[in-house]
Amino acid sequence: AMAMRAPVAARSSVMMGVVPSVTFDGAAAGEVPVELKIAKSGAYLVQRKIVAEQANMRLGTAKAKTRMEVRGGGRKPYQQKGTGRARRGSSRSPLLVGGGVSFGPRGVGKARYSVQMNKKEKRLAISTALMSALPKMTVVEDLDPHFSSAKTKDMKAFLDRVNVDTAAFATTLILTKERHEASYLSARNIPYLTLSTLDNINARDIIKAKKVIIAQSALDVIKERYA
């Protein structure tokens, strides 16, 4: 008989760690304990989540023309018999250069590439990715009160204060609880910086980042959601 697959909860465990905390000015403010679930087959689950995210980003608008849709080919290219060549009814056959495509994409939209995952698996993949990012993670106080207007220069100065290697354009992820317009606009023109809310958190950005900065209010929600 086929063995029953263990539920997601049975294939996970809780991991503890600490993350350095700093103020908006970059001064050390102690350490914050973090306790989240991780998958026992962590690399496999996170890889599946990233593949699903990238597949679901595809628009699926690619479309190839069949022999019916390619322009031309209405006339029989040569007589049926007597030439010694294979019989042809159209010069737009998929077998010929310039002909249609037999099994090409048909532009059916995102559904063509969509990859589904269970909600519990998604959450476990995110928490596993977050725990793997502990060595490159820093907790800061909420950014919203410090950005009253949109200034890229202020965001760049903040990154320098929290030890982001801006000279080498180190890929950086900032996670906030909710979108704040001035903070978002301040970060938008920095090519190596991704400022994301918890509604848009994804494993790909966490794994790709060289530095992960989490606002305190966002960390409180993460602890509650992924513990």
Side-chain angles (χ1 to χ4, degrees), residues 52-84:
E53 289 169 355
Q54 292 181 316
N56 294 334
M57 287 168 61
R58 298 185 67 171
L59 297 178
T61 53
K63 182 179 180 181
K65 293 182 178 180
T66 64
R67 63 183 295 164
M68 179 181 69
E69 296 165 328
V70 176
R71 184 173 184 271
R75 177 175 65 87
K76 189 174 178 66
Y78 48 82
Q79 64 191 41
Q80 177 81 348
K81 301 175 73 68
T83 63

Side-chain angles (χ1 to χ4, degrees), residues 8 11-16 34-40 42 45-46 49 53 119-134 137 175 201-203 206-207 214 221-227:
V8 172
R11 291 180 277 121
S12 63
S13 58
V14 176
M15 180 178 176
M16 297 182 63
V34 178
E35 186 175 343
L36 302 178
K37 287 181 180 178
I38 61 168
K40 291 183 179 178
L45 189 63
V46 173
K49 181 71 167 70
E53 289 169 355
K119 183 185 290 187
K120 288 183 179 179
E121 285 187 312
K122 289 180 184 178
R123 288 196 170 188
L124 187 56
I126 292 294
S127 63
T128 302
L130 285 169
M131 288 305 290
S132 73
L134 281 189
M137 190 180 293
L175 290 174
I201 189 171
N202 63 80
I206 297 170
I207 297 299
I214 302 183
V221 175
I222 286 172
K223 286 180 178 180
E224 183 179 345
R225 184 181 298 176
Y226 299 107

Side-chain angles (χ1 to χ4, degrees), residues 2 7 24 33 41 48 73 88 98 101 114-115 118 133 137 140 149 161 163 167 169 189 197 203 210-211 220 225:
M2 184 179 295
F24 183 76
S41 56
R48 277 185 56 213
R88 301 277 184 213
V101 177
S114 177
V115 176
N118 296 332
M137 190 180 293
V140 298
S149 60
R161 291 197 297 272
N163 299 322
F169 305 114
N189 281 343
T197 63
K210 296 289 197 315
K211 181 81 171 179
D220 294 338
R225 184 181 298 176

